Amino acid sequence: MARYKDYNYDQMKMIPVSFERQILPGSFEYSLAYLIDNELDLSAFDQYYCNDENGRPAYDPRVLLKIIILAYSKGITSSRRIERLCRENIIFMALSADLQPDHSTLADFVSRSPEAVADLFSQIVLMCDQLGLIGKEMFAIDGCKLPSNASKEWSGTHTELKKKRQKIDRAVRRMLQRHCEQDSAEQSPGIQRHDEAEQIKKLRAVSRKIKRFLDTEPERTGVSGREVKSNITDNESAKIKTSHGVIQGYTGVAAVDSKNQVVIYAEAFWQGQEHGLLKPVIEGIRDTFNDSKSKSTLKKTKITADSGYHNREMLEYLEAEGVDAYIADTGFRSRDPRFKDHKEPRERNRRKDKERFTRSEFIIDRKKRTCRCPAGHALWLKAKRARIGHHLFMQFQAYEKDCNNCGLRKRCLRNEQQHTPRQINVALDITQEQKAGVIERMKRKIDSPEGRHIYSQRLGTVEPVFGHITDAVGIKRFSLRSKRKVDGQWKLMMMLHNILKIHRYGWEWA
């Protein structure tokens, strides 16, 4: 017969715990505690406390900051989970000196002080610079799109939200009408009517919520000046297209140094399009290093960014500021000889043009200036050099008699009922003013061997930072609302990334 050891729950074991000895040298929590206690100035948090003469003492911002950054390093952003860790996890108990702050204290500390967090982020960047972790040879700029604490189901233009409210009100009226008919017929109310009463209560609350939003919030306009979708929950967030679908969130932009992937500037924006985001990032980098010895950082450092930041206004701004930038355009890869055998992806959502004859199916001889359509008919030369925008084309057009009687008319014209015959534009060149323009200068610069070499470092510099935060650390969304608070949380994430760099490479004991 099997024998087992005796056990008894009616006993006590006293375990002495020294909180100071739990923070072991060489660990991340040791580096975090030393950094916050000895290197950072947290006086910016004092403005949020007014208990000099009355009121009970507040939790020290140093303690709260240690707890929150350590929790973020483990991918935990929920204040309730952090509160539980302070009660159950010995490392969090030691780091917080067993103060055990509640979840509302932790949540308020993160959400109400984004300006103080931004000041700490700048201090961390300058410390990385002093420790030699920033090379200042190349800064790569890119954005990471993350969902926010808002549902995209509550998004829409003011017209769409009005229609949604009217639809909800109609549904409520139908249910109330049905209840009135049941009362007239003296039918006993059943379970279904009780459920509908609860549903009516919820729908009316939703209708009032939409009405309050429409009465208090103006129509939201985008960069182009046209109206964009608002969001009732967080009106500063935006619907953003990503590779995983459409999300309701923010774009977190970061500028990363190429030496050790230290984030030198970070800011969250409400828009998904990145066309106008380069200028505030450049100015933010300049402000970060403004008080340091390296005031001419941007004069010596190369800036790289992908095609999302490429537009004439930004390129003109960079030239005016004297910034050595390498910004790719949408056709950069197609001009790269290394991708000459690269197959273009199949176009999506092609409807009527799916079976339409393309220009490559026409037989064109540029020297003889002749063109023949797939049906074998010759096209006449409409223009030797026609200008469309900044581009020059050789234009051919079919004869009306050939197009009207052609059996391939359906596959050649955009519309079978089209009266004008098919026209073909053959690209020849661009205008002289375009060749001398800022866009062509950037194309020549980035297509040079040196430009391709510099731009090729961008991907391996900035993308691992986003991968580290979202996959290695595990933070995949923002937990706050409004741009001000989300910006503070984004800087807190990037500050965690930089502190990990200091822990691994900046100090001797790491």
Side-chain angles (χ1 to χ4, degrees), residues 28 32 35 69 124 495-503:
F28 172 68
L32 178 63
L35 179 69
I69 293 180
I124 293 291
M495 185 167 64
L496 164 65
H497 175 83
N498 287 348
I499 293 175
L500 284 168
K501 293 294 181 182
I502 294 175
H503 166 65

Side-chain angles (χ1 to χ4, degrees), residues 305-307 310 327-345 442-443 446-447 452 455-460 463:
D306 63 15
S307 57
H310 186 280
I327 315 296
D329 57 280
T330 53
F332 168 68
R333 178 165 289 190
S334 63
R335 300 191 304 273
D336 194 333
R338 295 172 294 181
F339 294 93
K340 63 179 180 180
D341 298 327
H342 174 70
K343 294 183 179 180
E344 291 291 333
M442 180 57 70
K443 285 182 180 180
I446 202 168
D447 285 343
R452 292 188 187 279
Y455 184 76
S456 65
Q457 302 174 47
R458 184 199 69 84
L459 192 66
E463 294 297 343

